[in-house]
Amino acid sequence: MLTLSDLNASSQAQFTAMLDGVYEHSPWIAEAAWNRRPFTTLAQLKRALVEELRAAGREAQLGLIRAHPELAGKAMVAKTLTAESTHEQGKAGLTACTPEEFEKLQRLNADYNARFGWPFILAVRGPRGAGLDKRQIIETFERRLANHPDFEFAEALRNIHRIAEIRLNDKFGFEPVQGNLVWDWAETLAQDSDQDDALTVTYLTEAHQACARRLATWMEQDCGFDEVRIDAVGNVVGVYHGSDPGAKRLLTGSHYDTVRNGGKYDGRLGILVPMACVRQLKLAGKRLPFGIEVVGFAEEEGQRYKATFLGSGALIGQFDRGWLDQVDAQGISMRQAMRDAGLSIEDIASLRRNPADYLGFVEVHIEQGPVLDALDLPLGVVTSINGSVRLMGEVIGQASHAGTTPMGQRRDAAAAVAELVLYLEQRAAQVPDLVGTVGMLEVPNGSINVVPGRCRFSLDIRATTNEVRDACLADVRAEAQRICERRGVSLKLEETMRAAAAPSAPEWQRRWEQAVQALGLPVFRMPSGAGHDAMKLHEAMPQAMLFLRGGNAGISHNPLETITSDDAELCVQAFNQLLSQLQ
């Protein structure tokens, strides 16, 4: 097997020969990366190769893409694939297609090449490295045919990097054992769902309670936590004592509920990664000078009831007893759901943690966006969780006949909102890390031949600081009034939610940065546009987050949400690095 010592001591020609086949018919990438020696970690080597390709320019990148064979294409039939491609296509079953499957793949290859001008590239060994099945390959093929050419070009390169990563693992005899464990846990946890055809786990349903039991069992039996319990709101709590059981604890975790038709890693990654770290400590018979408390928060998404951050809020004494009277779509109150689940409502107040007993709170999470994926970076350090504000609005004009009302005499409510949407887009684009969205637009009782008399809409504004957020909101309010006055329509705006920004504690952010650097990776700092349980714990103790990239351009809250086991391995390693800094 290849070693980093071998590579670091090699000549450029030897280095290039040792990495032959990593990038298809493209030894120039390894040749260029030779100058970056010495490499201290495999992750650093992988990153060096990525950076060389990113710097090479579009023509060189296009040449690499075109150097790849079609899936189940002519080269496979003629048996002229490289050994690496033969192994990969065989592992995915492409060398044993039925006539119908082969015909479909040939047609897809032709359609794809006609649309984009290069072959379809897919890391067919998949996110776990064990191989995708033919159904998954065909579905991905069909989905990506609809992509914009520029996006698809980038997606092809991302898949090439994944292919190279797996080939490097083979050369080094490396297996992401902890990453595989996290990935497998997530896959198993996704078996419990409120829906048969989608992953949906909402507060205190049968599937939700089954997830809690699985997590508790894994914590106790597989990982060796000293204490495991499901608390009065359904949080799954595991404690691994330090060398002194009375020592302070590091608090960590995330949520295990999901949005409807969601993904397998949102929230859950932040529970499973520290579980894997505790499991390693237990197997090694090791205790740290501090305890580790991992919490699988029962609710964060607000899907069944209008109560978000219920699980983490309970830990800082912010459980609103008024929530108990809310009812779900079936008319079941939260109070009844909790009683049916065997939870003790009377004990909720006792869940509040004393901040003096904790070192702080850390959370790992998939990014839920495209930034890391576009940069080909596996990890990002969070600088702040954006503050947000949401409003519901309605513009009221005058419904009138679309054919008989002159353009200059209309009081078009939808046109006024459309103008506001474009203003928000332009205003938010002026400031880094400020985002504004109108996600809901509705013309009640609208008709194709009627000028809209009413238009309802939503506003969502987020920024890294409350001041930037509020300045944008003030400008949007003022512009909305100007638009409505000029157009002769009226405006109603109601604020429905406001959450303060949660900047990372500087000392904890530095620890994540040092952990990433220890893996041989560059430190990339970024804000979180989404809310997380860390926002609630921020109110009681110092907090900081680490992001893991998601595949499929970082899509989240979607069945296409994905990660690789290699990235999960890096996440576990980074968490272990953070733990080592506290010893």
Side-chain angles (χ1 to χ4, degrees):
M1 290 295 176
L2 193 58
T3 67
L4 290 175
S5 296
D6 294 335
L7 284 175
N8 290 334
S10 65
S11 67
Q12 190 174 38
Q14 291 169 330
F15 183 94
T16 304
M18 288 181 203
L19 297 181
D20 180 53
V22 171
Y23 284 92
E24 194 88 358
H25 300 298
S26 301
W28 59 269
I29 301 171
E31 187 176 41
W34 177 79
N35 293 303
R36 295 173 178 262
R37 297 169 308 138
F39 300 106
T40 58
T41 67
L42 181 55
Q44 186 182 23
L45 170 62
K46 292 174 180 177
R47 180 62 194 173
L49 296 167
V50 166
E51 289 178 352
E52 291 299 338
L53 181 54
R54 288 178 65 88
R58 187 178 176 92
E59 284 306 308
Q61 294 166 352
L62 182 58
L64 172 61
I65 292 173
R66 287 176 171 163
H68 280 72
E70 293 180 336
L71 296 183
K74 296 175 182 177
M76 188 195 78
V77 174
K79 298 184 178 179
T80 58
L81 294 173
T82 63
E84 292 84 5
S85 289
T86 299
H87 174 63
E88 288 156 1
Q89 295 207 27
K91 205 168 182 68
L94 295 175
T95 53
C97 289
T98 65
E100 294 77 14
E101 290 169 337
F102 184 74
E103 180 185 355
K104 184 160 194 174
L105 284 165
Q106 292 302 297
R107 186 169 65 254
L108 287 169
N109 276 321
D111 291 346
Y112 186 93
N113 216 312
R115 173 164 167 72
F116 298 111
W118 58 77
F120 175 69
I121 311 294
L122 178 64
V124 294
R125 284 182 61 181
R128 175 66 158 75
L132 301 173
D133 61 39
K134 285 176 281 189
R135 177 190 59 80
Q136 292 171 310
I137 291 169
I138 289 170
E139 287 178 353
T140 304
F141 218 143
E142 293 172 330
R143 173 172 56 82
R144 282 175 49 188
L145 264 169
N147 285 341
H148 186 279
D150 290 342
F151 179 89
E152 188 57 22
F153 186 87
E155 190 70 1
L157 291 175
R158 286 190 284 265
N159 275 273
I160 285 172
H161 288 312
R162 176 59 180 157
I163 292 168
E165 175 168 62
I166 293 172
R167 291 178 179 181
L168 277 170
N169 289 351
D170 291 344
K171 282 182 177 289
F172 278 83
F174 171 74
E175 182 182 356
V177 175
Q178 302 306 318
N180 286 344
L181 176 64
V182 168
W183 199 91
D184 291 343
W185 273 339
E187 195 74 10
T188 301
L189 203 60
Q191 293 174 8
D192 298 311
S193 176
D194 299 345
Q195 297 177 253
D196 293 333
D197 58 348
L199 178 57
T200 301
V201 178
T202 58
Y203 187 54
L204 295 184
T205 60
E206 290 184 11
H208 184 272
Q209 294 177 65
C211 285
R213 290 191 295 269
R214 279 191 197 270
L215 289 169
T217 298
W218 288 339
M219 285 182 177
E220 187 171 10
Q221 298 182 6
D222 294 6
C223 301
F225 282 81
D226 298 302
E227 300 174 17
V228 179
R229 67 184 183 279
I230 297 175
D231 71 17
V233 295
N235 294 330
V236 183
V237 183
V239 177
Y240 187 73
H241 291 305
S243 49
D244 174 5
K248 288 188 176 184
R249 297 175 185 170
L250 175 65
L251 186 62
T252 186
S254 194
H255 63 97
Y256 64 91
D257 68 321
T258 75
V259 296
R260 300 182 191 280
N261 197 26
K264 300 174 183 176
Y265 309 97
D266 172 19
R268 297 171 175 202
L269 181 77
I271 308 167
L272 303 177
V273 165
M275 280 171 53
C277 294
V278 168
R279 182 175 181 273
Q280 287 179 291
L281 289 170
K282 181 66 175 182
L283 288 173
K286 186 176 181 180
R287 297 281 177 179
L288 303 176
F290 54 91
I292 302 173
E293 182 174 336
V294 181
V295 183
F297 294 114
E299 195 286 328
E300 188 253 22
E301 298 288 5
Q303 295 290 298
R304 186 178 181 186
Y305 300 101
K306 294 178 181 178
T308 56
F309 301 108
L310 182 155
S312 50
L315 267 61
I316 61 170
Q318 289 187 7
F319 182 89
D320 183 349
R321 292 187 69 87
W323 291 337
L324 296 171
D325 296 320
Q326 292 183 10
V327 295
D328 65 9
Q330 284 70 46
I332 301 171
S333 70
M334 184 186 293
R335 178 181 285 101
Q336 187 61 50
M338 295 180 80
R339 286 175 177 166
D340 290 346
L343 302 181
S344 175
I345 295 171
E346 292 72 24
D347 292 337
I348 292 175
S350 67
L351 301 183
R352 184 172 187 171
R353 303 298 197 267
N354 180 359
D357 295 335
Y358 293 90
L359 300 171
F361 178 81
V362 293
E363 182 176 0
V364 298
H365 205 284
I366 59 168
E367 181 207 341
Q368 298 187 279
V371 177
L372 290 175
D373 201 44
L375 293 171
D376 296 308
L377 277 172
L379 301 174
V381 178
V382 177
T383 56
S384 177
I385 304 171
N386 285 1
S388 61
V389 62
R390 293 179 185 174
L391 301 93
M392 293 301 298
E394 183 175 25
V395 170
I396 302 172
Q398 178 64 59
S400 58
H401 196 292
T404 62
T405 310
M407 295 304 294
Q409 297 179 31
R410 297 183 176 207
R411 295 169 59 204
D412 188 329
V417 176
E419 194 173 339
L420 183 63
V421 172
L422 294 177
Y423 172 80
L424 175 61
E425 182 180 61
Q426 172 266 330
R427 173 63 175 80
Q430 294 176 0
V431 182
D433 302 322
L434 169 67
V435 293
T437 306
V438 174
M440 297 169 61
L441 276 170
E442 178 194 6
V443 176
N445 303 313
S447 178
I448 195 168
N449 61 347
V450 176
V451 176
R454 297 169 64 204
C455 185
R456 296 173 182 155
F457 63 99
S458 63
L459 283 173
D460 184 307
I461 300 173
R462 308 184 190 208
T464 49
T465 68
N466 298 333
E467 292 75 17
V468 169
R469 175 202 64 196
D470 293 344
C472 179
L473 176 59
D475 287 349
V476 168
R477 283 184 180 276
E479 183 64 18
Q481 289 294 343
R482 283 192 289 268
I483 292 169
C484 290
E485 287 173 10
R486 174 165 43 81
R487 288 180 170 272
V489 296
S490 62
L491 171 70
K492 295 179 181 178
L493 271 180
E494 178 188 2
E495 185 173 311
T496 59
M497 189 275 284
R498 178 176 290 262
S504 298
E507 69 275 19
W508 286 96
Q509 181 180 323
R510 282 194 297 271
R511 289 182 179 120
W512 278 130
E513 291 171 359
Q514 291 165 10
V516 171
Q517 286 176 322
L519 301 182
L521 292 170
V523 173
F524 181 76
R525 301 170 183 87
M526 61 188 302
S528 171
H532 302 285
D533 290 297
M535 295 179 74
K536 301 306 294 182
L537 275 302
H538 173 84
E539 299 177 34
M541 62 186 73
Q543 64 79 27
M545 293 185 68
L546 180 73
F547 273 167
L548 177 77
R549 76 175 147 194
N552 291 327
I555 195 167
S556 183
H557 283 188
N558 186 297
L560 292 176
E561 182 179 285
T562 187
I563 63 171
T564 69
S565 58
D566 282 271
D567 284 358
E569 177 80 18
L570 289 172
C571 203
V572 173
Q573 290 178 13
F575 205 105
N576 280 327
Q577 287 288 341
L578 181 138
L579 294 178
S580 70
Q581 295 174 41
L582 300 173
Q583 296 182 46

